[in-house]
Amino acid sequence: MAAIAAKAAARQRIASLAFWSIVVAFVVLALKLAAWYVTGSVALYSDALESIVNVIASAAAYWAIQVSYKPADQDHPFGHHKAEYFSAVLEGVLIVLAALLILNEVWRSWQTPTPLEQPWEGLAVNGVATVINAFWAWTLIRAGRAAKSPALVADGNHIMTDVVTSIGVFGGLVGAILTGWQILDPALAVIVALNILWQGWHVIGSSMNGLMDRAVDTTEHMHIRDIISANCKGALEVHDLKTRIAGRATFIEFHLVVDADMTVGASHVICDRIEDALKAEIPSVRVTIHVEPDDEAKLPKGTTAVPFA
């Protein structure tokens, strides 16, 4: 019961963060649009465009998280965990689109340059939006990694890129105001666009890895081996260990070799012991164990080392 309650609490926290991410995105967008309206800066306009993407991406992440928590059903017997990856891919595509819109605005600005109006007021408003974004990005990344939520992590990483962009725009516009070099404004927007393109590619690539059933990293793989090895007393060997990550869930499968004369009940006890140990250490794990007789072993008979082939 305690485990079920903990999972329910974690789900509620993630859903709550995803919802408030939409609210924060709207607030930041309003502030950045106000900063652009006050100054007429194409760099601040590009910053605001990225915030429009944040609003759409946050809404998509909220939807994907709701879907990912749906229980397994007849059409989706392994659950709906991968729904979050679709949200992350959509966010990457939208980031690229925002970059292209920024480059289009830069081209128009170079053709018809306009001086900045009330630049200090605009920068102050944009600075408030940047502080809000920085705090929220840190919150989402921290919570998303803890809960193994690709949608929250992707949203947080994108917002953090927005923060870096805003800081660069702030510094560059201060330089443009002090030196009078108006060319710095559209030049900054180009840098913003290139940075956004890089981030979009990174988000898409990371999400595609998840959709392609990427295995756990080497450190986690060795940790899984250690857990199995420490809890497989009575078995002769473990081989063909495979893992894959699907959102919050980690899928583990392997072959467990036992004495051919061992009863089904005795081998089942070993399997339960291993499975319980894995579930205690790895959140949302799904374990599949294929029991085999000793003639399927890959190591020589009499081996006393860690029973992995």
Side-chain angles (χ1 to χ4, degrees):
M1 291 296 293
I4 295 174
K7 286 183 179 180
R11 173 181 179 177
Q12 183 61 36
R13 173 171 167 74
I14 292 173
S16 178
L17 283 171
F19 172 77
W20 280 105
S21 193
I22 300 173
V23 176
V24 172
F26 269 113
V27 171
V28 170
L29 172 61
L31 289 171
K32 289 191 175 184
L33 285 175
W36 164 63
Y37 181 78
V38 167
T39 62
S41 164
V42 66
L44 291 180
Y45 172 78
S46 68
D47 210 8
L49 268 181
E50 189 173 5
S51 290
I52 293 175
V53 174
N54 284 351
V55 171
I56 300 172
S58 295
Y62 179 73
W63 167 84
I65 287 169
Q66 297 298 320
V67 173
S68 72
Y69 272 105
K70 290 174 63 178
D73 54 35
Q74 186 173 354
D75 293 329
H76 306 89
F78 293 99
H80 300 76
H81 308 93
K82 287 188 177 182
E84 293 194 42
Y85 290 120
F86 290 104
S87 166
V89 169
L90 173 63
E91 182 164 353
V93 172
L94 290 174
I95 292 171
V96 172
L97 177 61
L100 296 177
L101 291 173
I102 291 169
L103 291 174
N104 179 65
E105 187 63 24
V106 169
W107 176 249
R108 291 173 54 189
S109 176
W110 269 331
Q111 290 181 316
T112 55
T114 54
L116 299 177
E117 301 175 7
Q118 297 179 281
W120 296 114
E121 291 85 347
L123 285 176
V125 174
N126 204 64
V128 173
T130 300
V131 171
I132 295 172
N133 257 353
F135 171 76
W136 193 247
W138 177 81
T139 300
L140 289 180
I141 293 172
R142 186 168 176 266
R145 285 175 177 168
K148 293 189 176 180
S149 172
L152 279 188
V153 172
D155 204 17
N157 281 332
H158 178 210
I159 295 174
M160 190 58 76
T161 301
D162 195 10
V163 171
V164 174
T165 296
S166 297
I167 292 172
V169 167
F170 185 91
L173 284 181
V174 168
I177 295 165
L178 296 177
T179 62
W181 297 347
Q182 298 299 326
I183 191 65
L184 286 177
D185 185 30
L188 277 171
V190 171
I191 295 173
V192 169
L194 294 175
N195 181 50
I196 292 173
L197 279 173
W198 179 87
Q199 179 65 18
W201 176 255
H202 177 74
V203 169
I204 292 172
S206 177
S207 302
M208 291 302 292
N209 272 336
L211 290 172
M212 293 296 290
D213 290 333
R214 179 176 58 86
V216 301
D217 60 34
T218 303
T219 302
E220 183 72 6
H221 183 86
M222 296 308 297
H223 182 50
I224 290 169
R225 283 178 59 112
D226 289 343
I227 295 171
I228 296 172
S229 181
N231 291 276
C232 67
K233 183 178 179 181
L236 301 176
E237 179 183 297
V238 175
H239 59 245
D240 292 349
L241 172 64
K242 297 176 183 177
T243 63
R244 66 183 177 92
I245 300 173
R248 295 177 306 281
T250 299
F251 289 82
I252 300 172
E253 64 175 74
F254 56 88
H255 293 190
L256 183 74
V257 179
V258 299
D259 192 294
D261 295 327
M262 181 178 286
T263 65
V264 173
S267 63
H268 192 263
V269 168
I270 300 173
C271 292
D272 280 348
R273 187 167 64 243
I274 296 172
E275 197 169 339
D276 290 343
L278 288 168
K279 288 180 177 179
E281 292 283 333
I282 304 170
S284 301
V285 72
R286 307 287 190 275
V287 184
T288 302
I289 304 174
H290 179 65
V291 179
E292 296 181 333
D294 50 21
D295 59 358
E296 295 291 333
K298 295 186 176 181
L299 290 173
K301 288 189 177 183
T303 299
T304 57
V306 175
F308 264 91

